[in-house]
Amino acid sequence: MKWVKFRLKTVTDAEDIIISTLYDIGLEGAQIEDKIPLTALEKEQMFVDILPDGPENDGIAYLSFFVEEAEDGSLKVQEEIVDRETLLERIEQELEGLRLFCDIGEGTITVDETEDIDWINNWKQYFHQFTIDDILVIPSWEEMLPEDSGKMVLHIDPGTAFGTGMHETTQLCIRQLRKYVTSETELLDVGTGSGILAILSLMFGARHAVGIDLDSCAVEAVQQNCKANNIDPDKFQMMIGNIITEREIQDKIGYGCYDIVVANILADVLVPLTPVILNQLKPGGIYITSGIINDKEQTVVDAVKAAGMEVLDVAYQGEWVSVTARKE
């Protein structure tokens, strides 16, 4: 499969309006290259606690759009077949219209033809089955090996930057969950992402799980992974929102009703999260945290103690830390 790449040089302030405008003529899925620093919200959703300094924002952005090319050189844009020159003219016309009321910078366009690459499947060569203790994590395109027949199997495909279980912080949480999950466990997974921690908790025998995330893409990821692992959809409830700041979300999640709360997110998010989570936990409930780089360990331990919880365990893997505590 071949693709034609239309790469547009513009300014960062015009990114959204250009993407929206070109979407209307059938160009979807823009690739954005710029030097805008990450927002606080974006940092909240990342596993990296210490971010390197990026280049200074110069206000320049590059937007790339990929269009499938047929063998005869024609391009498929939604349901329409056009030639390269016609599509380029349409893009230029839309940009000229935008120039009348906003600054789009240079607005220059380069057109390149990609190699014949299977964009959908080529990356699969980099993700293979692996084990977390006696749990086999396997993608849909691989077969189990005979020697893995006795392992618990988690079927999961990486997607949308959500976790697969390879990261040390996820593995730390999994091991703590195995210690505390029972057949009566009501679990809350904060920052659920792919749903891997809640899904495994249900496989360990938990009665019910609630997952919450800031990213609406998590809903589809969780649905797909639940289906792949034969999880009863009634046992896993998904919510989108910010449990720290949104009282409506806190009310919806419920108070004093969870045996375990697990949160695999940044240490700087765990600090304000912890006193909120205290309200969601049952008396004696277990609070499992990770996503903590080692020099932030004491920060999280202090936050847990300040909330009145008892620290039960501090575990380590590589540079990462998990803190497990119990509500009095």
Side-chain angles (χ1 to χ4, degrees):
M1 184 180 297
K2 291 188 178 181
W3 303 79
V4 175
K5 175 182 177 182
F6 294 85
R7 188 169 187 256
L8 163 65
K9 184 177 182 180
T10 182
V11 292
T12 54
D13 289 343
E15 288 176 3
D16 290 342
I17 192 168
I18 291 176
I19 291 171
S20 176
T21 299
L22 297 186
Y23 180 87
D24 290 339
I25 64 170
L27 296 180
E28 302 174 343
Q31 174 185 302
I32 303 173
E33 303 168 68
D34 60 31
K35 299 174 183 176
I36 298 176
L38 292 173
T39 66
L41 178 60
E42 289 166 335
K43 290 179 181 179
E44 283 182 15
Q45 299 176 66
M46 297 181 67
F47 283 114
V48 181
D49 215 351
I50 298 176
L51 297 171
D53 293 331
E56 184 177 351
N57 181 20
D58 57 7
I60 301 299
Y62 293 89
L63 306 179
S64 296
F65 301 86
F66 296 87
V67 183
E68 183 180 343
E69 183 180 35
E71 291 184 3
D72 63 2
S74 63
L75 306 180
K76 184 177 181 181
V77 183
Q78 293 181 333
E79 300 302 319
E80 184 182 5
I81 303 299
V82 298
D83 59 52
R84 189 180 303 195
E85 291 72 22
T86 298
L87 182 56
L88 180 59
E89 288 177 4
R90 290 182 185 177
I91 296 171
E92 291 173 339
Q93 289 172 2
E94 295 295 335
L95 294 179
E96 287 306 310
L98 289 175
R99 286 186 190 278
L100 298 176
F101 59 89
C102 70
D103 176 18
I104 65 167
E106 285 189 18
T108 52
I109 305 169
T110 57
V111 183
D112 297 302
E113 187 173 285
T114 71
E115 297 178 10
D116 190 1
I117 297 174
D118 184 350
W119 291 86
I120 300 300
N121 295 302
N122 192 52
W123 58 272
K124 291 181 179 180
Q125 63 183 298
Y126 302 106
F127 183 71
H128 302 287
Q129 57 187 280
F130 63 98
T131 58
I132 306 170
D133 302 331
D134 63 342
I135 302 169
L136 175 68
V137 182
I138 185 168
S140 59
W141 56 89
E142 290 194 352
E143 299 291 335
M144 280 186 62
L145 301 175
E147 56 265 33
D148 292 322
S149 59
K151 292 184 172 69
M152 176 179 287
V153 180
L154 175 69
H155 297 278
I156 193 165
D157 290 345
T160 327
F162 290 134
T164 62
M166 298 188 80
H167 200 279
E168 292 94 331
T169 61
T170 310
Q171 296 182 20
L172 284 164
C173 286
I174 290 169
R175 294 188 180 103
Q176 293 301 312
L177 286 166
R178 293 196 87 160
K179 293 180 184 179
Y180 296 104
V181 167
T182 73
S183 60
E184 299 300 314
T185 295
E186 291 284 342
L187 179 130
L188 173 62
D189 182 6
V190 181
T192 194
S194 63
I196 182 173
L197 295 178
I199 288 171
L200 275 173
S201 295
L202 292 167
M203 292 170 67
F204 296 156
R207 181 166 58 187
H208 184 260
V210 174
I212 182 166
D213 204 281
L214 296 171
D215 190 340
S216 59
C217 293
V219 175
E220 182 177 357
V222 165
Q223 289 174 345
Q224 291 175 349
N225 290 325
C226 282
K227 183 177 180 180
N229 291 282
N230 297 314
I231 298 296
D232 183 346
D234 291 337
K235 289 191 172 185
F236 194 151
Q237 180 183 1
M238 265 298 298
M239 299 183 193
I240 298 298
N242 191 327
I243 189 175
I244 298 175
T245 60
E246 298 177 29
R247 181 58 182 270
E248 181 182 354
I249 292 295
Q250 296 171 14
D251 293 344
K252 189 175 180 180
I253 287 173
Y255 302 97
C257 51
Y258 296 96
D259 301 284
I260 298 176
V261 174
V262 59
N264 183 21
I265 46 185
L266 291 172
D268 290 342
V269 180
L270 290 170
V271 172
L273 173 68
T274 297
V276 174
I277 286 306
L278 190 68
N279 300 315
Q280 269 70 41
L281 278 167
K282 293 179 180 178
I286 301 298
Y287 181 42
I288 299 170
T289 69
S290 193
I292 309 162
I293 199 72
N294 51 21
D295 65 359
K296 293 292 185 76
E297 172 187 337
Q298 195 59 47
T299 300
V300 176
V301 168
D302 290 345
V304 167
K305 290 181 176 179
M309 296 191 209
E310 175 192 2
V311 176
L312 299 177
D313 188 20
V314 180
Y316 306 90
Q317 186 171 339
E319 297 180 317
W320 300 93
V321 183
S322 170
V323 176
T324 301
R326 179 167 53 208
K327 179 178 178 178
E328 297 291 349

